[in-house]
Structures are given as C-alpha cells and as structure tokens.
Amino acid sequence: MQSIKAVFLGVLVVPVLAATELYSWHLFDVQTKINKSFEIILHSRIRTRDEFHQVQQLRTGAILLWHPKNMKLTPIFGYYYQPVKEKNIPWRDGHRVFAGLMRPFPLPERMVLNTRIAVERHMYDGVPGYMRYRTYVRLEIPKGKITPFVQNEWLAVKTGFHSVRNSGGIRFQLSPNTILETGYLYDIRRTVYGGDRSAIVTTFRYTIPER
C-alpha cells in the first residue's frame, strides 16, 4: 500500500513549469442504460490553452458501451464532433470516430485497475486525416466517498510514438448518481505535436437512475 501511495504522490509533484504551457480540460458526461446490454454516455468537453486565456477545442458526442453476456471485456464505440482552433489559425471543423475494449480488474483492499485500448480516426478540415492508437491504465483507491486515482496513457500514430500522459487526482461522490473529479495531467509529446504540456482536468458525470 505504501508503494501505491508513493506512485500517487510522484505523479502529482511533476513540476508544472517544465511544460510548454498550461491547459485545462473540462468534461461533462451524462450516462444512462439503454437496456441490459447497452449503455450510452453523452459527452462534451471544453479545452483551453495559454493559461486558460484561449478556448482551443470544443467537443461533443456519444460513447456506446456494450456488455455482452458471459464476457468480461466491454466493447466501446463512439463519435465526437470537435472543432479546434490553433494559434493564429481560424476555427476549423473536426470529427473523431473510435472503437475499443475496456476491462476492470478488481484488486485487494477494494482497489480497481481499469484498462482500455482504442483505435481512433481523426478528420479535420484542410488537413489529411490520421489514425491514432491508445492504451489506458487507471488505478482507483476508494476511500468512502473520496477516491484517489492515478492513470497512465500511451498514444501512437502511424509514424510511431505520439505522447504519454501521466495524471492523478481525486474523485468525489457528490450523490449516488453524481461524481466530480479533479486532477493534474502531464503530457509528454513529440516536438512535432507541440511539445510537453500540463493540464488541470475536471470531470462532472451524472448517471440517470434506472426505473
């Protein structure tokens, strides 16, 4: 348990000033069951850059989760509409479609290791589309209504390494159907994709109660 705490603290003390600039990512999700086999998440996100002075990307879309019988893996499918604005470039439309697999692994002391792999297709006006591949591992350490977490995500493209994202934070159970997460992320990126960056990340999720 002490080693887990050390990893958690290590992620949080990564120096913010080492990154090229500070971003913020604010996510808003509404999740509901369609039936016993399918759930849907209605998703939106606002991303800022330049120390919160510029809205850099807007995103909205949906994620479908399939829970097949007698199968521990959860296939996911999704689409985002994501207009983006880079420095000195006007807003341009963007789209993302993706598919992947998720699986949680229960651990001792009520901890959970969530894992995911996904393949994405990104398409933006005026530039060639591209594929991106990502893996995701997240360790959650429940403490009643407060759950600290650490996570690691690797991203790759056709030419190889794209970035690696290390982050940590705390999830608050505000009510039986509402959670709020806040955390810090450090993104190690190849220079061609903009170089390193850090981000303050928040997530608000509401799960519609079953009837």
Side-chain angles (χ1 to χ4, degrees), residues 164-194:
V164 58
R165 298 173 179 173
N166 293 302
S167 60
I170 299 175
R171 184 178 72 208
F172 301 93
Q173 192 77 42
L174 302 181
S175 75
N177 301 303
T178 308
I179 64 167
L180 174 66
E181 289 185 358
T182 181
Y184 168 75
L185 178 147
Y186 192 89
D187 192 3
I188 302 170
R189 298 188 298 172
R190 289 171 60 183
T191 304
V192 68
Y193 301 119

Side-chain angles (χ1 to χ4, degrees), residues 5 12 15 30 35 65 91 107 135 142 148 187:
K5 291 181 179 178
L12 293 183
V30 176
N35 53 40
L65 288 73
W91 282 92
L107 299 175
T135 65
D187 192 3

Side-chain angles (χ1 to χ4, degrees), residues 7-194:
V7 171
F8 177 67
L9 292 174
V11 170
L12 293 183
V13 299
V14 176
V16 174
L17 294 179
T20 54
E21 62 180 300
L22 180 63
Y23 283 65
S24 72
W25 299 352
H26 305 290
L27 295 80
F28 306 89
D29 292 341
V30 176
Q31 184 168 349
T32 186
K33 280 192 173 184
I34 300 173
N35 53 40
K36 292 182 179 180
S37 298
F38 292 95
E39 290 182 89
I40 190 167
I41 300 173
L42 302 179
H43 168 83
S44 61
R45 189 185 77 177
I46 299 173
R47 187 165 74 190
T48 71
R49 66 183 305 173
D50 292 335
E51 287 67 48
F52 320 122
H53 288 97
Q54 176 187 316
V55 175
Q56 189 256 345
Q57 187 188 77
L58 301 173
R59 191 168 85 183
T60 184
I63 307 166
L64 183 67
L65 288 73
W66 177 28
H67 303 286
K69 290 184 179 179
N70 304 318
M71 184 174 173
K72 294 182 178 180
L73 293 172
T74 299
I76 62 172
F77 311 90
Y79 164 80
Y80 297 149
Y81 170 64
Q82 51 183 37
V84 65
K85 185 185 187 310
E86 302 296 350
K87 289 184 177 180
N88 304 317
I89 299 175
W91 282 92
R92 65 172 183 261
D93 282 347
H95 306 271
R96 181 193 308 192
V97 293
F98 57 92
L101 295 168
M102 301 192 314
R103 181 179 176 182
F105 291 89
L107 299 175
E109 300 187 43
R110 298 178 57 241
M111 295 184 295
V112 177
L113 186 69
N114 289 303
T115 62
R116 183 178 66 203
I117 58 172
V119 178
E120 307 171 333
R121 177 69 178 177
H122 293 252
M123 298 158 284
Y124 289 100
D125 287 353
V127 295
Y130 65 93
M131 301 294 293
R132 192 166 71 177
Y133 314 92
R134 60 200 305 168
T135 65
Y136 164 101
V137 177
R138 171 174 167 137
L139 176 65
E140 298 180 351
I141 311 168
K143 300 291 182 182
K145 293 184 178 181
I146 297 177
T147 301
F149 63 86
V150 291
Q151 65 185 49
N152 171 268
E153 191 169 17
W154 286 80
L155 295 89
V157 291
K158 183 178 180 180
T159 55
F161 174 77
H162 180 281
S163 61
V164 58
R165 298 173 179 173
N166 293 302
S167 60
I170 299 175
R171 184 178 72 208
F172 301 93
Q173 192 77 42
L174 302 181
S175 75
N177 301 303
T178 308
I179 64 167
L180 174 66
E181 289 185 358
T182 181
Y184 168 75
L185 178 147
Y186 192 89
D187 192 3
I188 302 170
R189 298 188 298 172
R190 289 171 60 183
T191 304
V192 68
Y193 301 119

